[in-house]
């Protein structure tokens, strides 16, 4: 067999989707993977891609890629001790000031021409600046422990989903319809831009353009990992719909006959932004894989059709909005007061709450759920990552 015909060396990509506080689930999955690795320093993901809150986890892993298990431990520690005031101001003066600015500027056109949102996310900037050492990315790339890390943000003027990536010099940028890949040295502003949920958190200016949450126009969330060289991907989702094994399963919820609250509407909008594109991209990729397997073997090798991309998906086995509803009392009193009117403190409006509830009880339950869901797929993970079943730990 010619070298040109030999199968490509497996390059595993990790896809961490967005979802605000729901991203605590991803940390539990990563903790399970760390427990399965026989070598605590081994980074099993040469390509790491994140969006929104998933970008925070992605960059956290990339910064510590030389010591994967330690990087996961630090991420876990941060999420286990999260409080809302670590992410956005939840004190009464801060909430009132931001509310007045939002109403005055956005509705009445008063005040300075500054980006305004419902919540002040300045505490998140301080937290990430304290916890992340971006120099670790260059060190991991140099030591061949990392091929590339990428985070996606949305340009409000260009209307494009821009994937900022840092990695090996051999990776070419790309240009697709409303999707571009830009090589850069990642900084805190790139991360904050990717995590800036529209209207909820303020956009961030990078160079001459303001950017917001990358999930807004990210029609193909898996695509950046493939551009960066991955030929198989592990996707850790944060869907609110439990995985049943049946792609066509319908989640039946009780009908009340009441008009939807503002929180219910907002929850569906957030789900359509953070979840629907990823699930649609997974379905498309699986269909392409199926088509590729049905065609004669020589066609994929000649580049006439895409080569199959192995995909493993780990997603919540329980509805996250119901978990959030159980923990809604943890939300600071000031925020409960402001969110009561839109209906976010009710069970029906818990979809919004599931994105904003950065509190230990909720985050720790999601971490535990992620750990258990990953361990439920232990055999699949061990096979996917190419680990020796006899060498993996049995926690």
């Amino acid at each position: 067999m010619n070298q040109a015909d030999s199968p490509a060396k497996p390059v595993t990509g990790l896809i961490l989707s967005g979802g605000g506080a729901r991203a605590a689930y991803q940390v539990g999955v990563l903790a399970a993977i760390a427990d399965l690795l026989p070598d605590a320093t081994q980074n099993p993901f040469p390509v790491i891609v994140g969006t929104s809150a998933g970008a925070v986890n992605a960059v956290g892993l990339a910064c510590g890629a030389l010591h994967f298990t330690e990087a996961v431990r630090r991420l876990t520690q941060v999420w286990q001790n999260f409080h809302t005031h670590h992410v956005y101001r939840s004190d009464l003066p801060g909430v009132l000031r931001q509310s007045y600015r939002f109403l005055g500027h956005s509705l009445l056109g008063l005040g300075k021409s500054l980006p305004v949102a419902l919540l002040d996310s300045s505490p998140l900037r301080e937290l990430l600046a304290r916890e992340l050492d971006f120099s670790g990315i260059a060190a991991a790339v140099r030591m061949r422990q990392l091929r590339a890390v990428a985070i996606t943000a949305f340009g409000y003027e260009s209307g494009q989903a821009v994937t900022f990536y840092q990695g090996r010099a051999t990776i070419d940028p790309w240009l697709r319809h409303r999707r571009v890949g830009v090589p850069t040295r990642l900084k805190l502003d790139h991360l904050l831009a990717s995590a800036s949920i529209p209207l909820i958190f303020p956009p961030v200016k990078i160079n001459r353009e303001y950017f917001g949450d990358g999930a807004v126009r990210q029609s193909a969330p898996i695509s950046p990992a493939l551009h960066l060289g991955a030929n198989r991907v592990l996707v850790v989702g944060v869907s609110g719909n439990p995985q049943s094994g049946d792609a066509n399963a319908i989640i039946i919820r009780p009908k009340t006959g009441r008009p939807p609250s503002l929180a219910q509407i907002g929850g569906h909008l957030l789900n359509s932004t953070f979840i629907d594109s990823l699930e649609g991209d997974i379905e498309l990729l699986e269909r392409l894989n199926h088509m590729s397997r049905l065609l004669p073997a020589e066609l994929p090798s000649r580049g006439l059709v895409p080569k199959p991309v192995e995909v493993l998906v780990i997603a919540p086995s329980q509805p996250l909005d119901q978990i959030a509803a159980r923990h809604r009392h943890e939300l600071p009193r000031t925020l409960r007061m402001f969110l009561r009117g839109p209906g976010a403190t009710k069970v029906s409006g818990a979809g919004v709450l599931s994105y904003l509830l950065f509190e230990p009880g909720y985050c720790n339950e999601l971490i535990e759920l992620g750990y258990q869901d990953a361990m439920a797929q232990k055999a699949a993970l061990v096979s996917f990552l190419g680990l020796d079943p006899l060498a993996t730990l049995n926690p």
Side-chain angles (χ1 to χ4, degrees):
M1 183 171 61
N2 296 330
Q3 186 175 0
D5 297 329
S6 61
K9 182 180 178 181
V11 177
T12 306
L14 175 65
I15 311 292
L16 300 174
S17 60
R22 291 179 176 218
Y25 176 86
Q26 299 169 350
V27 177
V29 175
L30 294 172
I33 293 173
D35 281 348
L36 294 175
L37 293 177
D39 182 358
T41 63
Q42 176 189 358
N43 173 29
F45 305 110
V47 174
I48 304 175
V49 175
T51 303
S52 191
V56 174
N57 292 334
V59 170
L61 282 181
C63 289
L66 291 177
H67 301 280
F68 180 81
T69 299
E70 175 62 19
V72 173
R73 187 196 65 79
R74 291 195 62 176
L75 270 178
T76 304
Q77 187 176 35
V78 169
W79 279 95
Q80 285 178 333
N81 295 283
F82 248 143
H83 288 277
T84 300
H85 65 263
H86 292 145
V87 181
Y88 52 89
R89 289 194 63 175
S90 57
D91 58 295
L92 183 59
V95 172
L96 287 175
R97 178 175 177 270
Q98 195 69 10
S99 298
Y100 289 145
R101 287 187 62 196
F102 180 81
L103 292 173
H105 181 276
S106 302
L107 300 182
L108 302 177
L110 304 176
K112 299 179 180 179
S113 179
L114 294 173
V116 179
L118 285 169
L119 299 173
D120 179 357
S121 60
S122 57
L124 180 60
R125 176 181 288 273
E126 298 171 6
L127 173 70
L128 296 179
R130 186 170 63 249
E131 294 290 338
L132 297 176
D133 180 7
F134 284 83
S135 66
I137 298 176
V141 173
R142 186 170 60 251
M143 298 295 292
R144 298 283 180 171
Q145 287 294 311
L146 184 69
R147 178 179 174 84
V149 56
I151 58 180
T152 300
F154 168 68
Y156 279 102
E157 289 190 56
S158 65
Q160 292 180 321
V162 181
T163 298
F164 299 100
Y165 67 89
Q166 182 175 345
R168 298 180 188 174
T170 55
I171 300 174
D172 294 326
W174 63 89
L175 175 62
R176 299 292 185 270
H177 179 64
R178 296 198 179 278
R179 294 184 287 118
V180 298
V182 178
T184 189
R185 192 175 185 88
L186 293 178
K187 299 178 180 178
L188 185 57
D189 280 346
H190 296 104
L191 187 51
L192 290 168
S194 181
S196 294
I197 302 175
L199 298 180
I200 296 178
F201 297 136
V204 178
K205 192 174 186 180
I206 300 176
N207 298 327
R208 292 178 295 177
E209 185 175 8
Y210 278 98
F211 287 85
D213 200 298
V216 173
R217 294 296 290 272
Q218 194 177 32
S219 57
I222 298 176
S223 176
L226 305 183
H227 282 292
L228 296 172
N231 49 30
R232 62 180 180 182
V233 292
L234 171 64
V235 180
V236 185
V238 292
S239 170
N241 297 325
Q243 299 297 296
S244 63
D246 180 1
N248 297 314
I250 299 175
I251 305 299
I252 300 176
R253 302 181 185 274
K255 308 295 190 299
T256 64
R258 299 173 183 172
S261 66
L262 185 59
Q264 278 182 285
I265 296 173
H268 286 297
L269 290 175
L270 289 172
N271 287 343
S272 67
T273 298
F274 291 107
I275 296 172
D276 292 355
S277 294
L278 178 60
E279 293 180 343
D281 205 24
I282 293 171
E283 183 178 355
L284 175 61
L285 187 57
E286 290 176 342
R287 288 180 178 178
L288 290 174
N289 285 342
H290 181 67
M291 179 186 71
S292 179
R293 295 186 186 101
L294 293 176
L295 294 174
E298 63 271 12
L299 293 182
S301 64
R302 295 176 182 175
L304 300 179
V305 295
K307 293 183 179 180
V309 177
E310 185 180 358
V311 182
L312 178 62
V313 181
I314 299 179
S317 58
Q318 299 178 27
L320 301 191
D321 53 350
Q322 293 183 15
I323 297 176
R326 293 201 301 267
H327 292 276
R328 60 185 183 272
H329 63 279
E330 297 179 17
L331 201 66
R333 181 178 300 177
T334 301
L335 285 174
R336 289 205 306 269
M337 178 181 67
F338 276 86
L339 294 175
R340 185 178 296 118
T345 57
K346 299 178 181 178
V347 174
S348 60
V352 168
L353 202 61
S354 69
Y355 289 90
L356 300 178
L357 190 54
F358 294 91
E359 293 294 334
Y362 176 63
C363 290
N364 277 280
E365 185 166 347
L366 294 195
I367 291 172
E368 179 62 23
L369 178 63
Y371 189 93
Q372 296 300 330
D373 286 348
M375 283 302 178
Q377 297 195 53
K378 177 180 176 180
L381 274 171
V382 169
S383 174
F384 180 83
L385 296 175
L387 304 177
D388 182 356
L390 300 179
T392 56
L393 299 178
N394 187 22

